[in-house]
Amino acid sequence: MSWFEIEGKKVFYANYQDLEPEQMIERLHEIIQIYRKEDEKFYSLIDFTNTFLSEAYISEMMNGEIGILRKQKIIKTAVIGLNFAKVAILDVYRILNSDNKFKLFDTKEEALEWLSSEIKLHA
């Protein structure tokens, strides 16, 4: 996990890449703590490459604090590393949390290019 800037705007990189299901829940809790501390809204990049979305993780995403924090803090999110099953889960999350700030990408480069264009568009 890390922060970086695009066009002078903060972007949070939530890296779940290669994590085991238990580690993903731990990472989610770390992200919640980071989001809580941020005073201003920001963009995000989420990487789910080589992961498995466990029932426990999905439950935490659907019912936990992260949905509320995303609505308060996130401007737009680029997501990479999703296969068909994970996309279906994300669609359910979107509906249940009324969160339409996601856009899915095949590569990190495409995601970063889109974030850059979104930032320029809203500057």
Side-chain angles (χ1 to χ4, degrees):
M1 295 184 311
S2 60
W3 289 98
F4 61 97
E5 284 193 10
I6 296 176
E7 304 291 331
K9 299 289 184 182
K10 287 174 68 170
V11 179
F12 181 71
Y13 177 49
N15 186 2
Y16 288 94
Q17 190 172 356
D18 299 318
L19 294 182
E20 296 295 321
E22 306 81 35
Q23 294 172 310
M24 289 185 64
I25 293 171
E26 290 171 19
R27 177 65 44 92
L28 179 60
H29 291 163
E30 292 169 9
I31 290 168
I32 288 169
Q33 295 302 318
I34 291 167
Y35 282 14
R36 282 182 185 157
K37 293 177 185 174
E38 282 304 304
D39 293 328
E40 300 198 15
K41 291 186 174 197
F42 54 91
Y43 294 84
S44 66
L45 171 63
I46 303 174
D47 187 347
F48 286 112
T49 304
N50 297 323
T51 61
F52 172 75
L53 301 182
S54 69
E55 229 177 276
Y57 179 83
I58 293 166
S59 176
E60 190 73 29
M61 281 292 297
M62 299 294 183
N63 306 310
E65 183 181 3
I66 192 68
I68 295 165
L69 287 169
R70 282 193 47 76
K71 285 180 185 175
Q72 293 172 349
K73 310 284 179 149
I74 302 295
I75 301 167
K76 295 277 184 169
T77 298
V79 181
I80 57 175
L82 293 180
N83 60 24
F84 182 74
K86 292 178 200 171
V87 169
I89 292 167
L90 181 61
D91 285 341
V92 171
Y93 171 84
R94 280 185 203 194
I95 292 166
L96 292 176
N97 289 289
S98 301
D99 186 347
N100 293 311
K101 299 177 183 178
F102 289 96
K103 185 151 174 138
L104 310 178
F105 297 91
D106 292 329
T107 68
K108 190 173 183 179
E109 291 74 24
E110 291 171 337
L112 292 171
E113 185 177 309
W114 175 77
L115 281 171
S116 179
S117 68
E118 283 295 308
I119 289 168
K120 287 177 185 175
L121 183 66
H122 295 100

